[in-house]
Amino acid sequence: MSMKTNGDMPAMPFEEVRSRFQGLPDKWANHCGLTKREMMAMAAMQGLLAAPDLNTVQPSSVASTAIIYADALLVELERKNE
């Protein structure tokens, strides 16, 4: 079994727990969704797309640059935890 890295962990985990009241959810904590890496890349991409000279940039370049920024942030966060 492979161990997940910090970037592969859910950005906003939640778990559905059914209450005794009509079986409605009353607590959230353990579902996956976007990973931390995906969420960071999404935020970086939003910033990159807000650039005024966007017309000269290829979409694949924006995406790969956003991932580079997300990975750099994850590395820095890991370094702070050591």
Side-chain angles (χ1 to χ4, degrees):
M1 176 189 273
S2 66
M3 205 156 136
K4 286 187 173 184
T5 63
N6 186 27
D8 294 327
M9 298 301 290
M12 293 180 225
F14 65 93
E15 176 180 1
E16 183 178 332
V17 177
R18 299 287 176 185
S19 71
R20 294 181 202 156
F21 180 71
Q22 298 178 359
L24 298 173
D26 63 357
K27 187 176 177 187
W28 308 93
N30 201 10
H31 285 263
C32 291
L34 289 177
T35 65
K36 291 179 182 180
R37 183 176 187 239
E38 291 166 338
M39 194 122 191
M40 290 174 192
M42 179 178 66
M45 193 169 190
Q46 287 175 329
L48 292 167
L49 290 173
D53 61 347
L54 182 63
N55 295 331
T56 62
V57 180
Q58 293 294 319
S60 60
S61 175
V62 175
S64 59
T65 302
I67 292 169
I68 290 168
Y69 280 115
D71 289 344
L73 178 56
L74 286 166
V75 166
E76 192 61 29
L77 290 171
E78 284 298 316
R79 188 181 324 172
K80 299 261 184 203
N81 288 332
E82 291 177 351

